[in-house]
Amino acid sequence: MTDSAASLKRAAAVRALDFVEDGMKLGLGTGSTAEAFLDVLAPRIKGGLSIVGVPTSEKTAQKARTLGIPLSTLDQMGELDLTVDGADEADRAFNLIKGGGAALLREKIVAASSKRMVVIADGSKLVNRLGKYPLPIEVAAFGHLSTARRIGLRLAAFGYAKPAVTQRMKDGEAVTTDGGNVIYDAALGSIGDAPALAAALSGIPGVVDHGLFIGLATALVIAREGGTEVIEAAAG
Ligand code: 5RP
């Protein structure tokens, strides 16, 4: 990561602190930008801010523990006040692509359990149309090749001509999620109707979840060299 990328992530993270209030139950996202948020949150806690965090991955939990951020589980906390998380892409309709860090399932469950979700990102993540970033899809390990074939067929029926649906690998090994599932990435190029695609993918047996987050984000905090823009959804 370049110094400038790191400082934009930090700027977005600092701005997101404005959404945090004493006593909040906070969903803690996954990824480098979400980690920048942990870095700026921890000193506030040392300074007296009282929050309880619910991590969206084992990696985030580990880092939060190292920083002394108090943690609990989603089931113990119930509804959360706010989740702060990164994204791979976001549009101005508050649709997101997430899952670049393979944490999309827990991220989505935590975001859906939160009254508000603030997305923190550098300006490169804000796009006019989603889809340049390959869409992560979490698939049950059982029969995953067969599920991947059916994902390809569903995407073709949806108008994507022979989309590449590729299993995510690292160092020659299949990437597995905290839940023990595998990840496929679908190279779509451009997603015209994100809510319709999200619903179509959710209906495929073997698809545990996918990285399209529809109707979950309530604010985007976008950091650029010239300043930080906050885009908030209309209340209601
Ligand atoms: C993890 C995610 C991340 O939020 C997303 O990949 C962005 O990560 P980064 O802030 O490192 O660019 O969805 O599953």
Side-chain angles (χ1 to χ4, degrees):
M1 201 192 319
T2 63
D3 284 357
S4 132
S7 75
L8 290 179
K9 286 172 195 207
R10 189 177 173 87
V14 167
R15 182 66 181 80
L17 285 174
D18 293 346
F19 290 84
V20 178
E21 292 168 21
D22 202 49
M24 274 188 162
K25 297 185 259 183
L26 270 189
L28 304 173
T30 295
S32 56
T33 321
E35 288 192 12
F37 179 70
L38 300 184
D39 285 332
V40 298
L41 179 65
R44 296 292 175 100
I45 293 169
K46 287 205 174 69
L49 177 75
S50 169
I51 64 98
V52 181
V54 172
T56 54
S57 63
E58 299 303 328
K59 192 166 180 220
T60 292
Q62 200 180 343
K63 172 149 180 143
R65 274 187 218 108
T66 309
L67 291 170
I69 297 172
L71 296 181
S72 185
T73 63
L74 186 56
D75 286 339
Q76 273 168 337
M77 288 291 101
E79 189 180 38
L80 307 182
D81 298 292
L82 173 69
T83 285
V84 179
D85 200 350
D88 299 299
E89 283 183 349
D91 69 18
R92 286 180 183 270
F94 301 93
N95 300 314
L96 313 174
I97 287 183
K98 285 185 52 57
L104 66 95
L105 176 61
R106 292 189 188 185
E107 288 171 333
K108 197 180 280 187
I109 293 170
V110 168
S113 307
S114 302
K115 290 182 199 149
R116 293 199 288 168
M117 178 192 194
V118 172
V119 174
I120 50 176
D122 65 74
S124 68
K125 307 281 186 73
L126 184 63
V127 297
N128 288 327
R129 182 178 277 220
L130 300 179
K132 197 167 168 206
Y133 192 92
L135 178 65
I137 304 172
E138 185 161 343
V139 173
F142 176 82
H144 66 91
L145 292 174
S146 165
T147 303
R149 265 194 301 276
R150 280 178 293 110
I151 291 170
L153 291 173
R154 183 69 60 94
L155 289 171
F158 217 76
Y160 296 100
K162 298 207 177 99
V165 179
T166 315
Q167 188 175 6
R168 196 181 298 176
M169 309 290 287
K170 193 175 175 198
D171 302 329
E173 302 276 328
V175 169
T176 54
T177 67
D178 285 343
N181 303 308
V182 298
I183 296 277
Y184 279 80
D185 293 299
L188 303 178
S190 171
I191 297 173
D193 186 343
L197 179 61
L201 290 172
S202 294
I204 301 172
V207 169
V208 179
D209 215 326
H210 52 75
L212 283 170
F213 282 45
I214 310 295
L216 292 171
T218 54
L220 310 177
V221 176
I222 306 294
R224 301 188 186 85
E225 295 295 346
T228 300
E229 182 186 9
V230 178
I231 309 165
E232 289 199 70

